[in-house]
Short mmCIF file of all heavy atoms in Angstrom, two decimals:
data_model
loop_
_atom_site.label_atom_id
_atom_site.label_comp_id
_atom_site.label_asym_id
_atom_site.label_seq_id
_atom_site.Cartn_x
_atom_site.Cartn_y
_atom_site.Cartn_z
N ALA A 78 56.19 108.18 80.99
CA ALA A 78 56.63 107.55 82.24
C ALA A 78 57.47 108.53 83.06
O ALA A 78 57.99 108.17 84.09
CB ALA A 78 57.44 106.29 81.94
N GLY A 79 57.59 109.76 82.58
CA GLY A 79 58.29 110.76 83.37
C GLY A 79 59.06 111.78 82.55
O GLY A 79 59.29 112.89 83.00
N GLN A 80 59.50 111.42 81.34
CA GLN A 80 60.29 112.36 80.55
C GLN A 80 59.49 113.60 80.16
O GLN A 80 60.07 114.65 79.90
CB GLN A 80 60.83 111.67 79.30
CG GLN A 80 61.87 110.63 79.58
CD GLN A 80 62.34 109.92 78.31
OE1 GLN A 80 61.86 110.16 77.22
NE2 GLN A 80 63.30 109.02 78.48
N HIS A 81 58.16 113.49 80.13
CA HIS A 81 57.32 114.61 79.72
C HIS A 81 57.39 115.80 80.68
O HIS A 81 57.07 116.91 80.30
CB HIS A 81 55.88 114.16 79.53
CG HIS A 81 55.17 113.79 80.79
ND1 HIS A 81 55.46 112.63 81.48
CD2 HIS A 81 54.20 114.43 81.49
CE1 HIS A 81 54.69 112.57 82.55
NE2 HIS A 81 53.91 113.64 82.58
N HIS A 82 57.82 115.57 81.91
CA HIS A 82 57.90 116.66 82.88
C HIS A 82 58.91 117.71 82.45
O HIS A 82 58.84 118.85 82.89
CB HIS A 82 58.25 116.13 84.27
CG HIS A 82 57.20 115.24 84.85
ND1 HIS A 82 55.93 115.67 85.13
CD2 HIS A 82 57.23 113.92 85.16
CE1 HIS A 82 55.22 114.66 85.61
NE2 HIS A 82 55.99 113.59 85.64
N GLU A 83 59.84 117.33 81.58
CA GLU A 83 60.86 118.26 81.11
C GLU A 83 60.47 118.93 79.80
O GLU A 83 61.21 119.74 79.28
CB GLU A 83 62.18 117.51 80.93
CG GLU A 83 62.68 116.87 82.22
CD GLU A 83 63.86 115.94 82.01
OE1 GLU A 83 64.42 115.90 80.90
OE2 GLU A 83 64.23 115.24 82.96
N MET A 84 59.28 118.63 79.28
CA MET A 84 58.84 119.15 77.98
C MET A 84 57.85 120.29 78.17
O MET A 84 57.03 120.26 79.08
CB MET A 84 58.18 118.04 77.16
CG MET A 84 59.06 116.84 76.91
SD MET A 84 58.19 115.51 76.04
CE MET A 84 58.09 116.26 74.39
N ASP A 85 57.92 121.29 77.28
CA ASP A 85 56.93 122.37 77.29
C ASP A 85 55.56 121.84 76.93
O ASP A 85 54.57 122.20 77.55
CB ASP A 85 57.34 123.48 76.31
CG ASP A 85 58.57 124.24 76.78
OD1 ASP A 85 58.81 124.30 78.00
OD2 ASP A 85 59.29 124.76 75.91
N ASP A 86 55.48 120.99 75.90
CA ASP A 86 54.23 120.40 75.47
C ASP A 86 54.44 118.90 75.25
O ASP A 86 54.93 118.48 74.20
CB ASP A 86 53.73 121.04 74.18
CG ASP A 86 52.44 120.42 73.65
OD1 ASP A 86 51.85 119.56 74.36
OD2 ASP A 86 52.03 120.77 72.54
N PRO A 87 54.08 118.07 76.23
CA PRO A 87 54.34 116.63 76.10
C PRO A 87 53.56 115.97 74.96
O PRO A 87 53.92 114.88 74.52
CB PRO A 87 53.93 116.06 77.45
CG PRO A 87 53.09 117.09 78.09
CD PRO A 87 53.48 118.40 77.51
N PHE A 88 52.53 116.62 74.45
CA PHE A 88 51.75 116.06 73.35
C PHE A 88 52.26 116.51 71.98
O PHE A 88 51.69 116.14 70.95
CB PHE A 88 50.27 116.39 73.52
CG PHE A 88 49.63 115.65 74.65
CD1 PHE A 88 49.63 116.16 75.93
CD2 PHE A 88 49.05 114.40 74.44
CE1 PHE A 88 49.06 115.46 76.98
CE2 PHE A 88 48.47 113.70 75.48
CZ PHE A 88 48.48 114.23 76.76
N GLU A 89 53.34 117.31 71.96
CA GLU A 89 53.88 117.81 70.71
C GLU A 89 54.30 116.65 69.80
O GLU A 89 54.94 115.69 70.23
CB GLU A 89 55.11 118.69 70.99
CG GLU A 89 55.72 119.30 69.74
CD GLU A 89 56.90 120.20 70.05
OE1 GLU A 89 57.08 120.60 71.22
OE2 GLU A 89 57.64 120.49 69.11
N GLY A 90 53.89 116.72 68.55
CA GLY A 90 54.26 115.72 67.56
C GLY A 90 53.41 114.46 67.59
O GLY A 90 53.67 113.53 66.83
N ILE A 91 52.40 114.41 68.44
CA ILE A 91 51.53 113.24 68.52
C ILE A 91 50.19 113.58 67.87
O ILE A 91 49.53 114.54 68.26
CB ILE A 91 51.29 112.82 69.99
CG1 ILE A 91 52.61 112.51 70.69
CG2 ILE A 91 50.35 111.61 70.05
CD1 ILE A 91 52.48 112.29 72.18
N ASP A 92 49.81 112.80 66.87
CA ASP A 92 48.52 113.00 66.23
C ASP A 92 47.44 112.43 67.13
O ASP A 92 47.50 111.27 67.54
CB ASP A 92 48.48 112.31 64.87
CG ASP A 92 49.43 112.96 63.87
OD1 ASP A 92 49.62 114.19 63.96
OD2 ASP A 92 49.98 112.25 63.02
N LEU A 93 46.45 113.26 67.47
CA LEU A 93 45.38 112.90 68.40
C LEU A 93 44.01 113.03 67.75
O LEU A 93 43.84 113.78 66.80
CB LEU A 93 45.39 113.84 69.62
CG LEU A 93 46.63 113.94 70.47
CD1 LEU A 93 46.49 115.07 71.47
CD2 LEU A 93 46.89 112.63 71.18
N PHE A 94 43.07 112.30 68.30
CA PHE A 94 41.66 112.54 68.02
C PHE A 94 40.90 112.28 69.31
O PHE A 94 41.46 111.83 70.30
CB PHE A 94 41.15 111.66 66.86
CG PHE A 94 41.09 110.19 67.15
CD1 PHE A 94 39.90 109.61 67.56
CD2 PHE A 94 42.21 109.38 67.00
CE1 PHE A 94 39.83 108.25 67.82
CE2 PHE A 94 42.15 108.03 67.26
CZ PHE A 94 40.96 107.46 67.67
N ARG A 95 39.63 112.60 69.31
CA ARG A 95 38.80 112.40 70.49
C ARG A 95 37.56 111.63 70.08
O ARG A 95 37.05 111.80 68.98
CB ARG A 95 38.44 113.74 71.13
CG ARG A 95 39.73 114.42 71.63
CD ARG A 95 39.49 115.82 72.14
NE ARG A 95 40.75 116.53 72.24
CZ ARG A 95 41.55 116.53 73.29
NH1 ARG A 95 41.24 115.86 74.37
NH2 ARG A 95 42.68 117.21 73.28
N SER A 96 37.08 110.78 70.97
CA SER A 96 35.92 109.95 70.69
C SER A 96 34.78 110.35 71.63
O SER A 96 34.57 111.53 71.88
CB SER A 96 36.30 108.48 70.82
OG SER A 96 35.22 107.65 70.48
N GLU A 97 34.11 109.36 72.19
CA GLU A 97 32.90 109.59 73.00
C GLU A 97 33.10 110.49 74.20
O GLU A 97 32.30 111.37 74.48
CB GLU A 97 32.31 108.25 73.46
CG GLU A 97 31.85 107.36 72.35
CD GLU A 97 30.71 107.95 71.55
OE1 GLU A 97 29.77 108.49 72.17
OE2 GLU A 97 30.76 107.88 70.32
N THR A 98 34.16 110.29 74.97
CA THR A 98 34.33 111.02 76.23
C THR A 98 35.10 112.33 76.08
O THR A 98 35.09 113.14 76.99
CB THR A 98 35.06 110.16 77.29
OG1 THR A 98 36.43 110.05 76.91
CG2 THR A 98 34.40 108.81 77.45
N GLY A 99 35.80 112.50 74.97
CA GLY A 99 36.61 113.69 74.78
C GLY A 99 38.04 113.53 75.24
O GLY A 99 38.85 114.44 75.09
N ALA A 100 38.39 112.38 75.81
CA ALA A 100 39.79 112.13 76.20
C ALA A 100 40.66 112.04 74.95
O ALA A 100 40.21 111.53 73.92
CB ALA A 100 39.90 110.84 77.01
N PRO A 101 41.90 112.52 75.01
CA PRO A 101 42.76 112.43 73.83
C PRO A 101 43.14 110.97 73.55
O PRO A 101 43.43 110.21 74.47
CB PRO A 101 43.99 113.25 74.21
CG PRO A 101 43.97 113.35 75.69
CD PRO A 101 42.55 113.19 76.13
N ILE A 102 43.13 110.63 72.26
CA ILE A 102 43.48 109.27 71.82
C ILE A 102 44.57 109.39 70.76
O ILE A 102 44.45 110.20 69.83
CB ILE A 102 42.25 108.54 71.25
CG1 ILE A 102 41.17 108.42 72.34
CG2 ILE A 102 42.63 107.18 70.68
CD1 ILE A 102 39.82 107.94 71.83
N PHE A 103 45.63 108.61 70.90
CA PHE A 103 46.73 108.63 69.93
C PHE A 103 46.29 107.90 68.66
O PHE A 103 45.73 106.81 68.72
CB PHE A 103 47.97 107.93 70.49
CG PHE A 103 48.51 108.53 71.76
CD1 PHE A 103 49.30 107.77 72.60
CD2 PHE A 103 48.26 109.84 72.13
CE1 PHE A 103 49.82 108.30 73.78
CE2 PHE A 103 48.76 110.38 73.30
CZ PHE A 103 49.56 109.60 74.12
N GLU A 104 46.58 108.49 67.51
CA GLU A 104 46.13 107.93 66.24
C GLU A 104 46.81 106.63 65.85
O GLU A 104 46.19 105.79 65.20
CB GLU A 104 46.29 108.95 65.12
CG GLU A 104 45.22 110.01 65.15
CD GLU A 104 45.18 110.83 63.89
OE1 GLU A 104 45.90 110.53 62.92
OE2 GLU A 104 44.41 111.80 63.87
#
Side-chain angles (χ1 to χ4, degrees):
Q80 292 177 357
H81 69 288
H82 296 297
E83 300 170 9
M84 302 176 73
D85 291 333
D86 178 7
F88 289 89
E89 182 178 344
I91 301 171
D92 293 327
L93 302 171
F94 68 96
R95 296 174 196 272
S96 183
E97 297 296 316
T98 72
I102 299 170
F103 301 158
E104 283 193 6

